[in-house]
Amino acid sequence: KNMKIAIAKQLTYWQDPQGDVLLFYSERDCNVYFGCWLQSGEPADFACKLTFYDTGAIRSYPREFLPYQIKNHEYHSKILLVEDSDMLKEYKLYRTHQYPNDKRPLKQLLHFIVVGHDIYHEILPEKYEEQKVMIHEITDDRVRNLILNA
């Protein structure tokens, strides 16, 4: 079977290539954080926060290698968009089967992947946004450690 295609979308902030990516997820919120570099080997004093809106599902794998063929993978920092997503098809099938009387249209979800050094998170949101979070603004030690260990 051929591997599914994931298209790399460039992010603004340079992700620490050896760092972890932290996922915080609840019924309504999904955020991913990673430490950043200013240039090769030079850690930044901030983290990148990706906020995912109207997330339908997530799944994570502590693995080094992705089961996707990546297009445009030359960016220092990227998020991946999966084409023809099986995860998205499964989600839609589940929703229509479990909630057959729901008259609301299914959310217009996309399938994104955020990759860390030995972990990746797959997320089904309607959209996402990227922002810089300075170390002095961060109160969660797990997020602060992403910056301190970059």
Side-chain angles (χ1 to χ4, degrees):
K1 184 177 175 182
N2 289 340
M3 292 177 88
K4 294 284 184 183
I5 305 264
I7 299 169
K9 303 287 185 185
Q10 187 172 17
L11 294 173
T12 305
Y13 305 107
W14 188 345
Q15 181 178 357
D16 169 10
Q18 298 297 313
D20 200 359
V21 286
L22 288 178
L23 172 86
F24 295 93
Y25 178 60
S26 68
E27 185 178 353
R28 291 187 174 80
D29 296 312
C30 182
N31 296 297
V32 175
Y33 294 84
F34 57 79
C36 297
W37 282 1
L38 296 174
Q39 57 187 13
S40 185
E42 184 182 336
D45 60 349
F46 60 85
C48 179
K49 175 185 178 184
L50 299 174
T51 302
F52 295 92
Y53 296 98
D54 298 315
T55 301
I58 65 106
R59 64 185 178 195
S60 299
Y61 295 96
R63 298 180 185 153
E64 182 178 358
F65 300 103
L66 300 176
Y68 299 96
Q69 179 183 345
I70 302 172
K71 298 265 183 164
N72 303 340
H73 56 81
E74 67 277 359
Y75 303 125
H76 288 305
S77 195
K78 58 191 167 284
I79 187 170
L80 304 175
L81 175 62
V82 178
E83 292 187 332
D84 192 31
S85 165
D86 290 335
M87 184 178 174
L88 202 47
K89 290 174 189 171
E90 291 166 11
Y91 173 79
K92 288 178 179 179
L93 186 65
Y94 166 80
R95 292 290 307 172
T96 55
H97 179 74
Q98 293 298 327
Y99 303 99
N101 298 322
D102 188 353
K103 301 297 182 214
R104 295 173 299 163
L106 277 174
K107 293 178 183 178
Q108 296 299 309
L109 301 178
L110 300 166
H111 180 175
F112 290 105
I113 304 172
V114 181
V115 181
H117 183 243
D118 285 326
I119 191 169
Y120 63 93
H121 305 295
E122 299 190 70
I123 304 163
L124 301 182
E126 286 192 343
K127 62 182 180 179
Y128 74 94
E129 101 183 344
E130 175 185 13
Q131 79 185 85
K132 178 195 298 188
V133 184
M134 301 305 294
I135 192 165
H136 66 270
E137 300 174 74
I138 298 169
T139 57
D140 189 301
D141 286 339
R142 296 167 294 180
V143 179
R144 287 179 63 83
N145 284 334
L146 289 175
I147 298 169
L148 298 173
N149 296 325

